[in-house]
Amino acid sequence: MHIQNDTEGMQLALAWAARGMYTTAPNPRVGCVIVRDGVVLGAGHTQPAGQAHAEIMALRDAAANGHDVHGATAYVTLEPCNHHGRTPPCSDALVAAGLGRVVAAMTDPNPLVAGQGLAKLQAAGIEVASGVLAAQAHEMNIGFFSRMQRARPWVRMKTAASLDGVTALHNGQSQWITGEQARADGHAWRARACAILTGIGTVKADNPQLNVRAVDTPRQPRRIIVDSKLEIDLEARVLQGGASWIVAAKPDAAKEAALRAAGHDVIMLPNAAGKVDLAALMLELGRREINELHVEAGSKLNGSLICEGCVDELLVYLAPCLIGDGQGMFALPALQQLDQKVRLRFHEMTHMGEDIRVLARFISPEE
């Protein structure tokens, strides 16, 4: 491949970043390619936490291929780090390698970096630039940016429904409203999330596994159950095959002890009404380094999360069918005026087999 300009260089770096889609959390997904005279000398992406970052992998790749990177250009999808975390600063490694130019898609929102990585490179005589394909780079790490800037994860709520907004019959039957391609795509969105959240109502009604099955993934997301009264059955499928977090509001010493003995964590976050404080939960998940949270819950919890301002994006699969009276997507209070409506912006609409996938983002009141 011959790289003709900065845009092409960054496109390739983003393609490398995507290789870490399921593995880098809580670190961002970053790709790096090193180019001289249009020829790619080395490329890499961030490895699992505690292992090498993208820049180090690209430098190692170049060395393994026998290339001298002195004076070359590095394209990196996020500003090189400038602090000692689990690994040493990447900016130091780039300086030591003698690169001539570093192009970053965008600066790092982490306050430990925030422009300092590029400043160090510039101080060492390396030409720097940023802002190339910044929007695409932001989408790649939308959860990491959310956690750095708002101290909470990016929350994506997934639901599948008929064209008249029905997710299940009143008897609970819901398999299957959407087709196989839409269901597999839903699992891909599960796989990229750090955690999947549901409510005790869904656990009781469906006994879901809440794991990734339809796509290959090297790791399963954490499973989180909102269960105010700790009603969960210890044999529930969601508690099998890995540690879950159960978020409650009313203590039950015996149940807590049994859950912890089975390897699960119980998080007590009551609000004044004796329910789980959902806003506080989002901050707790941010503290626990959850970048992207994937919600698959029933209409009641969906509605509560929306009303509490905890949801950033809806991931809705619409099937070309009508069901009539049944269970809805979101239990929201009745409005008195249309100007009270919750406003969203369509971000993306895509055909998924016979179904349509809609990504819609909530518009903040100040927008």
Side-chain angles (χ1 to χ4, degrees), residues 216-272:
D216 289 331
T217 179
R219 66 105 175 99
Q220 289 289 341
R222 176 80 61 179
R223 291 170 293 183
I224 304 170
I225 304 97
V226 175
D227 181 10
S228 293
K229 302 174 185 176
L230 285 177
E231 301 173 89
I232 195 164
D233 186 333
L234 290 169
E235 299 303 314
R237 292 204 295 177
V238 76
L239 296 182
Q240 313 309 314
S244 295
W245 295 344
I246 299 90
V247 191
K250 297 182 179 178
D252 180 333
K255 195 64 166 287
E256 289 179 55
L259 286 165
R260 290 194 170 108
H264 307 295
D265 194 2
V266 179
I267 305 168
M268 280 291 164
L269 287 174
N271 64 13

Side-chain angles (χ1 to χ4, degrees), residues 275-315:
K275 301 282 189 181
V276 169
D277 187 329
L278 297 173
L281 173 58
M282 296 305 122
L283 293 174
E284 175 64 17
L285 295 181
R287 191 184 68 79
R288 292 178 179 226
E289 298 188 316
I290 299 297
N291 290 340
E292 290 184 28
L293 178 66
H294 182 95
V295 177
E296 290 196 30
S299 62
K300 287 184 179 179
L301 181 53
N302 282 351
S304 296
L305 285 162
I306 290 171
C307 288
E308 292 291 324
C310 295
V311 186
D312 298 299
E313 180 173 63
L314 297 180
L315 171 64

Side-chain angles (χ1 to χ4, degrees), residues 73-95:
T73 296
Y75 295 97
V76 59
T77 59
L78 191 64
E79 176 186 7
C81 64
N82 187 49
H83 66 289
H84 283 271
R86 296 181 178 94
T87 59
C90 291
S91 53
D92 288 349
L94 294 174
V95 170

